[in-house]
Structure formats: structure tokens, C-alpha cells
Amino acid sequence: MERPAWAPSGIDISVPSVSRIYDYYLGGSHNFEVDREAARKAMEFMPGLPKVMQANRAVMRRAVRFAVDQGITQFLDIGSGIPTFGNVHEVAQNATPDARVLYVDHDPVAVAHSKAVLAGNDRTGVLAADLRKPRDILHSPETAALLDLDRPVALLLVAVLHFLEDADEPGRAVAELRDALAPGSLLILTHASYEGIPLPRDVAAGTVSVYRDIRNPLVMRSRDEVARFFDGFELVEPGLVPLADWRPENPVDQEDPYAFSGFAGVGRKA
């Protein structure tokens, strides 16, 4: 397989990547056949997966605009993935030119491509780090150079926590990040769940098996389990709700049923 210029040397391009699979769902071009094959297998069980990913991105954009309306101009996007149209910095800086955005991901492809896309934008940064090690993020030179943690920050954990198993202690990671944020900061979070998927659970479980087979377990948590990530935050209206129901900009009665899969919420730190 020929390695394209955007694929960093040293990565195994014969192994599927969650970031590149997500890119494929969104119609991106930074993926390989191995990623597309895994995505197609997952879609055999849940054909609406691209719509779920689109709904996640739409929530992110609405939540970023909400954060700007609340006076927040700093954004920390962990698990940011491969840049696609309508990224956090595009939405935030369109709303307020002073917005600063730090993207964090542990996928070398996502990091390399993010740096290429953001070259010349001195109000954005990219950090190679893992959500499971919050201190590496909080104490990095990139964070210190771009964000003032003594002022409110919007922390984005969009479609990332469901790739952390309970053994990874995702609740601890979120709590460490929360404790480092100033009062008034926001947590913007989406999470996969069996709840809301317009399929029998045993059918949807086939998609979970595909991710397990590529060694990227997908953890489907209940609403109550997702709500625990908001400990120490006060949920803003409308609370923790299906993706399409979080502050929709258009009527949702004609929305694709898959857009209601999983949960979205925004919490404010007191």
C-alpha cells in the first residue's frame, strides 16, 4: 500500500484507526481501505452510523456557539480527530475572532493533519496526548502557550469517552480536567448509547463487536452512566438529551431517527 503524503511515517496504515473511520463516516478523504472496510462492516449492523456522526458534529457546532454566547473564548477539544469542515476553531473564530482553540488527540494522523490545516493560525494549537493522562494535557507547553486556565474554558469531549473502557477510569480523567478548570467553564460532551438507536439492541451490538475486533472497544453507556461524567457541573437546559434534541436550530420532527442515538449535554462548573 502506497503511503500518501498526509500519513506520518511510523504509523501502521494496515490497521484501522478510529479517527480515520470517523473521517470516512463524515465523507472525508483521510482514510484507507482498511478503515473503509471496518466502517462498512459496522454499517451492516447500523446503516445510519454516518447520520449519528453528523449529529455529533452538529451538536458540537451548536454547543460552541452557545459557549461563545456565554462569553467563553477558550476551547480545549480532546479527542478532536481529523479536521473536517465546521471544526471548533472555524465555528468559534467566526463567532469571535479572539477565540483560542487547542486540539488534542493521540492519533498521529489526526495530529499531523491538524497541524497542516492550522498552519499560520496563531490562535490555535495541536497537542499529541491521551485523554487517559490529563496531566500531560494540562501541564503541556502547548496548553500554557494558548490557554489561561484561570479563566473559563469550554472543554469538549465529543464522541471520545465511549472509546475508554471502565478500566481506563474515564470518570477520573474527566474529574482531573474539571478540577483544573476555572469556575464558569463548560463541559461539552456526547456519548454513544444503546438508548435511542432505532434498532434492537442485539442488532446494534454487532457494531460494537466490529470495534472490539479492531481493538478499539466501543463502550455503550446508559444515560445514568453518562450523567456521572457531569459530577461537579450543573447541566444547562435542556439537560442530557438525545443528540438531535440538544438546542436544535430547526424542527426535529422530520429528523433522521439515527440523529437521536446517544446523548449530548453541556454542564457549567460553579
Side-chain angles (χ1 to χ4, degrees), residues 56-77:
N56 265 284
R57 298 291 296 183
V59 167
M60 178 274 288
R61 291 190 289 268
R62 298 197 299 272
V64 167
R65 287 192 288 267
F66 171 79
V68 172
D69 288 344
Q70 300 298 302
I72 292 179
T73 59
Q74 302 187 105
F75 297 83
L76 176 58
D77 185 1

Side-chain angles (χ1 to χ4, degrees), residues 25-26 43 46-58 243-244 254-261:
Y25 288 142
L26 292 173
M43 290 169 63
M46 287 182 60
L49 277 170
K51 185 60 185 180
V52 177
M53 307 312 163
Q54 292 165 18
N56 265 284
R57 298 291 296 183
L243 297 177
Q254 301 298 316
E255 185 60 89
D256 188 303
Y258 277 97
F260 298 89
S261 304

Side-chain angles (χ1 to χ4, degrees), residues 184-226:
S185 293
L186 298 178
L187 170 61
I188 298 170
L189 184 153
T190 69
H191 198 294
S193 176
Y194 284 119
E195 299 176 38
I197 295 176
L199 291 171
R201 178 170 176 150
D202 61 333
V203 176
T207 290
V208 175
S209 297
V210 171
Y211 278 88
R212 183 175 61 247
D213 290 345
I214 64 171
R215 300 181 182 178
N216 283 286
L218 176 61
V219 183
M220 307 290 265
R221 295 187 171 95
S222 69
R223 185 185 184 282
D224 288 344
E225 289 172 322
V226 176

Side-chain angles (χ1 to χ4, degrees), residues 11 21 38 76-77 128 131 142 152 170-171 173 181 194 220-221 257 263:
I11 68 165
I21 292 172
L76 176 58
D77 185 1
L131 172 57
E142 290 85 351
L181 299 179
Y194 284 119
M220 307 290 265
R221 295 187 171 95
F263 293 103

Side-chain angles (χ1 to χ4, degrees), residues 171-183:
R172 173 197 55 78
V174 176
E176 283 191 35
L177 291 164
R178 176 201 65 210
D179 291 347
L181 299 179

Side-chain angles (χ1 to χ4, degrees), residues 12-21 32-39 107 210 213-216:
D12 187 348
I13 60 177
S14 68
V15 176
S17 154
V18 165
S19 292
R20 298 195 306 263
I21 292 172
F32 301 115
E33 180 55 31
V34 67
D35 307 303
R36 296 188 285 272
E37 181 181 0
D107 186 324
V210 171
D213 290 345
I214 64 171
R215 300 181 182 178
N216 283 286

